Amino acid sequence: MSGINYKLKFANKSYESDELIILGSFCKSEGKKKILNNSTWPAEFKDSFNSHKYSSEFTGEKDSSYTFFSQDGIKVIAYGLGDKKELNEESLRKSSATLFKSISKKYKTISFDLDSFTIKNNEEKSFSIIQEAFALTDYNFDKYKSTKENLKLKTIIFETKLPKTKMQKFKTIQDELLCIADAIHFSRDLVNDPPNVLNSETYAKRIEKDVKSFKGVKVKILDKADLKKEKMGLFLSVNAGSAYGPRLVHLTYTPSKATSKTKHIALVGKGLTFDTGGYSLKPAASIINMKFDMAGSATVYGAFRALVQQSPKVKISCFLGITDNAVSGLATMPDSICTGRNGKTVEILNTDAEGRLVLADVLDYACDQKPDVVIDVATLTGACLIALGNEVCGLMSNSDKLANELQKSAKEVDEYIWQLPIIPEWAKDMKSNIADLKNIGGSRNAGTAKAAAFLQEFIKNDVQWAHLDIAGVGDSQSHLPYCPAKGASGLMIRTLYRYVQNGKY
Ligand code: BES
Ligand code: MN
Ligand code: ZN
């Protein structure tokens, strides 16, 4: 949990902090000139601001700021948000994150004037964006640093003139956002942990321990012997060279008033605690950071963790396919032919295309639980970075309805997601001459969607299925101030959360 205490103060008459007050400031055009629009400021601040010699130089331009002192001698920062008409939710989120970074190391207690930060005349929405941005930005992976750089910031008081009757609604929004942010931090911590600490066995144990405190959740963990019984020959082939046992973590949340009509969503995640490539070994430069190859599993767990704390009325299962992809005398050799849980044989031509092998068996297992929807999340292909860069998540699906709802949900939380098609030609390219399937296509072209075409072979019972390739968005989101510049991003947790909460299955 974050060390920052976020307080709400309604029907505000005087500001609580004697250290710092923050006011939002907009910019408007007057002819060709840009001038400050501070119409929402309390009168007392306007006077002290205007009496300042250089204050007229401050125009409220985006992410600029001006510091002055109130009549009582309290420091006030006027923070520029730019032209109100151009300000959308994502730019407010980004500005709030940038603002948070500039103040969190310098001040202990801050009064934040909510009313001057309202966009689109929507106080609730504006507050929720700012609160979310602060909570997401308040993350630092320093567990392996001997000197920690602790934030000075301890308390933020959101202050508004709105009547007290509105406070409960804001409190509810705040609790939900802090719960999601906490799950995102948990997920980021898992991804950032190194492979000598987080291996398949310790990872599964950590999830088992964490999930204990949540009501309505059951845990089942399958080990190597269980996977053999389940005939998960593809999953096991990836684990063959590993010093650690594979784990399939199977979590089930059942709402308290479940009926036969209760919908069931299954989330599946790729959990490669390290991907060396196996015998198709990755070159030294590409192997670095392959600890993050379990980000798909950490993403679905993050979404699951946030959701179950909100007691949703839908059944949610979560399946984490966990192993590393290591090299040893026992590791699977290219040319091997292995049999999946659904009976299909796969010619393994490249041991570095391992994620799809793990997911294949886990997806088949998940479909047996008879969910209405299955969504898998994986750092599956480097090709996704070629197609969509570091910024956009790949989406592939067998259902237009599911794809549309996921796209809508992503838009609602301002995460980028783009659908790629799965065409019959690419499904054909994944067929082998001597087995049912092969694990790589005949060329590198369309590598992301060909991987999805492979996965689709393991979807059964007409389940609506979607696959999210987070190879690009899973880490290093230096363009988003509310994500760490390096390391796990936690992206797509908010999209998945929103999708499940929207309830359109
Ligand atoms: N985990 C990687 C995908 C990856 C690569 C994610 C780089 C992020 C950055 C995956 O297991 C992999 O190695 N895929 C291969 C597939 C290929 C052999 C068909 C790839 O993308 O090169
Ligand atoms: Mn690989
Ligand atoms: Zn991988």
Side-chain angles (χ1 to χ4, degrees):
M1 259 303 194
S2 149
I4 295 174
N5 180 16
Y6 295 102
K7 296 211 281 190
L8 294 171
K9 195 164 154 227
F10 276 59
N12 189 43
K13 293 217 172 61
S14 64
Y15 293 85
E16 204 159 306
S17 171
D18 54 9
E19 218 181 320
L20 179 66
I21 298 166
I22 297 177
L23 299 174
S25 324
F26 295 98
C27 181
K28 65 181 173 192
S29 302
E30 227 182 41
K32 275 192 185 149
K33 246 176 75 190
K34 296 215 176 241
I35 58 160
L36 177 67
N37 170 6
N38 59 354
S39 57
T40 51
W41 289 12
E44 53 191 288
F45 296 124
K46 282 186 194 162
D47 295 341
S48 12
F49 176 78
N50 290 335
S51 67
H52 234 239
K53 197 169 163 194
Y54 295 108
S55 62
S56 60
E57 287 174 10
F58 178 62
T59 59
E61 246 176 280
K62 209 164 160 18
D63 296 320
S64 66
S65 66
Y66 189 85
T67 307
F68 61 101
F69 289 86
S70 73
Q71 273 145 7
D72 309 331
I74 298 167
K75 199 183 221 181
V76 182
I77 292 181
Y79 195 78
L81 295 168
D83 192 332
K84 206 168 191 164
K85 279 181 262 137
E86 282 164 30
L87 194 64
N88 58 29
E89 291 170 7
E90 178 66 353
S91 53
L92 179 60
R93 191 179 285 110
K94 284 182 176 167
S95 281
S96 306
T98 307
L99 167 62
F100 181 90
K101 285 187 205 171
S102 73
I103 53 177
S104 53
K105 285 187 186 143
K106 293 189 207 141
Y107 307 95
K108 195 163 159 238
T109 307
I110 296 172
S111 281
F112 188 95
D113 179 68
L114 265 185
D115 301 331
S116 56
F117 279 86
T118 301
I119 61 164
K120 296 179 182 163
N121 291 323
N122 190 337
E123 291 108 353
E124 274 175 23
K125 189 75 205 174
S126 306
F127 164 68
S128 65
I129 301 256
I130 295 161
Q131 173 66 87
E132 175 177 74
F134 285 1
L136 291 179
T137 311
D138 178 23
Y139 176 81
N140 185 16
F141 186 70
D142 62 1
K143 85 189 244 207
Y144 298 101
K145 289 263 194 198
S146 24
T147 26
K148 321 265 184 214
E149 223 185 297
N150 287 329
L151 295 186
K152 194 165 173 195
L153 187 56
K154 291 280 172 286
T155 309
I156 293 184
I157 310 120
F158 291 109
E159 313 202 15
T160 169
K161 300 221 161 19
L162 286 172
K164 284 195 174 132
T165 46
K166 295 214 168 168
M167 183 148 129
Q168 191 47 49
K169 185 72 210 290
F170 277 62
K171 181 88 188 90
T172 309
I173 292 172
Q174 184 179 51
D175 288 345
E176 183 179 4
L177 289 169
L178 293 179
C179 163
I180 300 169
D182 197 38
I184 289 175
H185 294 178
F186 191 89
S187 170
R188 287 174 179 169
D189 277 348
L190 290 171
V191 178
N192 289 331
D193 238 343
N196 58 321
V197 174
L198 195 93
N199 57 55
S200 50
E201 295 165 14
T202 55
Y203 186 8
K205 273 199 196 123
R206 217 189 274 184
I207 301 291
E208 187 180 22
K209 184 170 169 228
D210 183 60
V211 96
K212 279 219 167 89
S213 49
F214 307 131
K215 256 203 219 127
V217 179
K218 276 206 190 114
V219 199
K220 186 173 166 187
I221 297 179
L222 289 76
D223 62 12
K224 192 167 186 164
D226 298 319
L227 298 194
K228 279 186 186 156
K229 267 185 233 152
E230 290 286 344
K231 298 192 164 44
M232 296 196 178
L234 299 175
F235 190 160
L236 285 164
S237 79
V238 177
N239 179 256
S242 175
Y244 308 101
R247 293 288 184 268
L248 171 49
V249 177
H250 174 181
L251 307 168
T252 319
Y253 163 79
T254 313
S256 54
K257 285 177 190 141
T259 68
S260 58
K261 287 210 179 85
T262 302
K263 296 278 183 176
H264 180 188
I265 309 287
L267 303 172
V268 172
K270 168 177 173 181
L272 266 286
T273 55
F274 199 82
D275 179 13
T276 69
Y279 273 112
S280 315
L281 193 63
K282 286 185 185 292
S286 334
I287 212 167
I288 293 173
N289 201 36
M290 275 303 140
K291 65 172 184 180
F292 111 117
D293 213 17
M294 34 62 72
S297 61
T299 301
V300 293
Y301 181 67
F304 180 84
R305 190 184 197 270
L307 283 161
V308 300
Q309 291 177 77
Q310 303 298 322
S311 315
K313 291 190 175 70
V314 58
K315 182 174 170 181
I316 312 167
S317 298
C318 191
F319 305 89
L320 317 176
I322 307 174
T323 177
D324 54 22
N325 184 21
V327 214
S328 88
L330 295 171
T332 299
M333 287 170 197
D335 283 346
S336 297
I337 296 178
C338 298
T339 308
R341 186 177 183 272
N342 72 351
K344 291 190 186 180
T345 55
V346 178
E347 187 184 10
I348 298 172
L349 293 176
N350 189 321
T351 58
D352 198 12
E354 84 299 337
R356 63 198 72 186
L357 299 173
V358 171
L359 288 176
D361 280 341
V362 181
L363 283 168
D364 182 69
Y365 179 86
C367 286
D368 271 347
Q369 310 296 315
K370 302 271 184 323
D372 297 282
V373 169
V374 180
I375 302 168
D376 79 71
V377 184
T379 49
L380 206 62
T381 64
C384 193
L385 279 137
I386 309 288
L388 298 171
N390 237 300
E391 296 88 355
V392 180
C393 174
L395 161 68
M396 286 134 276
S397 181
N398 65 0
S399 153
D400 287 343
K401 183 182 171 200
L402 174 55
N404 287 338
E405 289 302 331
L406 280 169
Q407 280 165 320
K408 250 195 244 163
S409 310
K411 250 211 177 91
E412 282 168 33
V413 301
D414 292 313
E415 293 189 322
Y416 293 128
I417 172 171
W418 196 261
Q419 190 174 8
L420 303 173
I422 306 176
I423 59 174
E425 285 83 344
W426 295 338
K428 195 173 158 208
D429 194 34
M430 300 308 290
K431 306 273 183 209
S432 156
N433 292 329
I434 56 168
D436 298 332
L437 296 165
K438 54 185 173 16
N439 77 330
I440 53 170
S443 79
R444 295 170 48 155
N445 299 345
T448 301
K450 281 179 188 169
F454 180 89
L455 295 179
Q456 192 166 12
E457 298 283 340
F458 298 85
I459 302 300
K460 63 184 177 194
N461 305 339
D462 290 324
V463 177
Q464 297 184 70
W465 158 75
H467 161 61
L468 298 180
D469 194 330
I470 59 160
V473 299
D475 74 347
S476 301
Q477 296 296 298
S478 53
H479 59 111
L480 299 175
Y482 51 86
C483 285
K486 286 216 170 91
S489 68
L491 290 185
M492 292 303 131
I493 293 179
R494 292 188 299 124
T495 293
L496 290 173
Y497 180 90
R498 175 72 32 230
Y499 167 76
V500 176
Q501 292 289 42
N502 281 347
K504 306 234 170 79
Y505 319 123

